[in-house]
């Protein structure tokens, strides 16, 4: 288990950061490590961002010292989305098979979570975990069970498909809300027009970025924005006071995950593109 911590940053401090300081505090460069679980414990709503990459052996989700818990999900829930080939996750002896882009929610109290390898398909498991006040059932969500929305247009370079996988309109969770967005060919902008939501934080995980292409992620208060250049299979932490938007040199996909005060997906404070600075 490879893990680090990220502390919360005040917006007045963020304004003084250099490029390297922005990347050090908000960018998660390495998500997938061969035969390991890699995670970052953030102090934004105590969300944990991580990934499991079992190649030659199963890897088990074990507790870390920061949790002061007997097992990882003693007081937590977790949402997992497979961004690789077909794979299997075992939860307390029950196996769940996830195809590419399918999701698994595991409720508080599950003691033994194992990410299994498959040499033929090479699954990659991305996850978000947050504190949980009660227990909801473990459940797989396939793509045809997601709440799917087509939004944007080619004229504004933001035509995209949003798949709400682990959200309250699909299943009950305590805090974790997750889904994925796929940009259509010819579109590059995500979450444009942008928004903030001071009641919850968010994390973006970018994937399906073609080789030799990149995404520029925009963050910060609407009147004080900054950018971080990102590569395939990297994540970025978005504080509650920050916009979270991006533009790529090609179309791509990303997973959004949230935790905090409100479970209403549409709870956001919109920002007009012309108001950005």
């Amino acid at each position: 288990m490879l893990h680090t911590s990220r502390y919360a940053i005040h917006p007045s401090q963020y304004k003084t950061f250099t490029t390297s300081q922005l990347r050090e505090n908000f960018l998660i460069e390495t998500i997938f490590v061969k035969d390991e679980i890699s995670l970052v414990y953030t102090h934004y709503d105590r969300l944990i961002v991580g990934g499991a990459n079992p190649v030659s052996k199963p890897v088990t989700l074990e507790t870390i010292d920061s949790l002061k818990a007997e097992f990882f999900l003693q007081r937590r829930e977790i949402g997992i989305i497979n961004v690789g080939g077909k794979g299997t996750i075992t939860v307390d002896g029950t196996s769940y098979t996830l195809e590419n882009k399918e999701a698994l929610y595991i409720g508080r109290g599950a003691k033994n979570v194992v990410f299994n390898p498959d040499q033929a398909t090479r699954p990659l498991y991305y996850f978000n975990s947050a504190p949980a006040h009660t227990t909801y059932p473990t459940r797989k969500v396939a793509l045809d069970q997601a709440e799917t929305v087509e939004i944007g247009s080619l004229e504004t370079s933001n035509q995209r498909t949003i798949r709400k996988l682990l959200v309250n309109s699909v299943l009950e969770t305590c805090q974790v809300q997750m889904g994925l967005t796929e940009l259509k060919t010819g579109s590059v902008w995500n979450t444009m027009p942008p928004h903030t939501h001071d009641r919850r934080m968010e994390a973006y995980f970018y994937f399906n970025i073609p080789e030799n292409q990149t995404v520029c992620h925009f963050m910060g208060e609407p009147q004080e924005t900054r950018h971080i250049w990102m590569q395939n299979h990297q994540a970025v932490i978005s504080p509650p006071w920050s916009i979270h938007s991006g533009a790529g040199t090609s179309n791509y996909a990303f997973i959004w995950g949230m935790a905090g005060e409100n479970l209403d997906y549409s709870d956001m404070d919109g920002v007009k593109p012309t108001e950005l600075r």
Side-chain angles (χ1 to χ4, degrees), residues 107-231:
R108 186 188 71 170
K111 292 185 176 180
N112 188 250
V113 178
V114 180
F115 299 93
N116 298 296
D118 189 313
Q119 293 287 343
T121 60
R122 296 295 177 91
L124 290 169
Y125 307 101
Y126 172 75
F127 62 81
N128 290 167
S129 172
H133 58 79
T134 191
T135 300
Y136 291 115
T138 296
R139 179 180 159 188
K140 170 186 168 178
V141 178
L143 288 182
D144 61 0
Q145 297 172 310
E147 184 179 328
T148 302
V149 178
E150 301 288 338
I151 194 170
S153 68
L154 280 176
E155 288 75 16
T156 50
S157 303
N158 66 351
Q159 188 177 18
R160 58 203 190 271
T161 301
I162 300 175
R163 303 184 192 278
K164 304 173 190 177
L165 289 159
L166 305 181
V167 299
N168 259 26
S169 56
V170 176
L171 80 171
E172 287 188 299
T173 70
C174 293
Q175 283 199 74
V176 166
Q177 304 277 284
M178 294 179 73
L180 62 87
T181 298
E182 297 175 89
L183 277 291
K184 302 288 188 180
T185 300
S187 287
V188 297
W189 278 102
N190 77 67
T191 322
M192 181 57 67
H195 61 262
T196 61
H197 29 65
D198 199 47
R199 295 149 297 283
R200 57 189 181 185
M201 62 81 65
E202 193 156 356
Y204 273 15
F205 168 78
Y206 288 96
F207 70 109
N208 284 0
I209 301 175
E211 187 176 1
N212 297 320
Q213 303 301 315
T214 187
V215 172
C216 186
H217 181 86
F218 295 91
M219 64 170 297
E221 294 177 296
Q223 303 300 311
E224 195 76 40
T225 61
R226 302 286 189 273
H227 67 269
I228 297 176
W229 288 99
M230 301 188 60
Q231 307 304 315

Side-chain angles (χ1 to χ4, degrees), residues 12 36-38 60 69-70 132 141 146 204 216 237 248 271 275-276:
S12 63
E36 294 277 4
I37 292 175
S38 177
T60 300
E70 294 179 12
V141 178
Y204 273 15
C216 186
I237 300 165
V271 180
E275 295 174 338
L276 296 169

Side-chain angles (χ1 to χ4, degrees), residues 88-105:
T88 301
I89 300 172
T90 305
V91 183
D92 289 341
T94 300
S95 292
Y96 299 86
T97 298
L98 300 184
E99 299 285 350
N100 179 251
K101 300 173 188 170
E102 292 188 331
L104 181 67
Y105 170 81

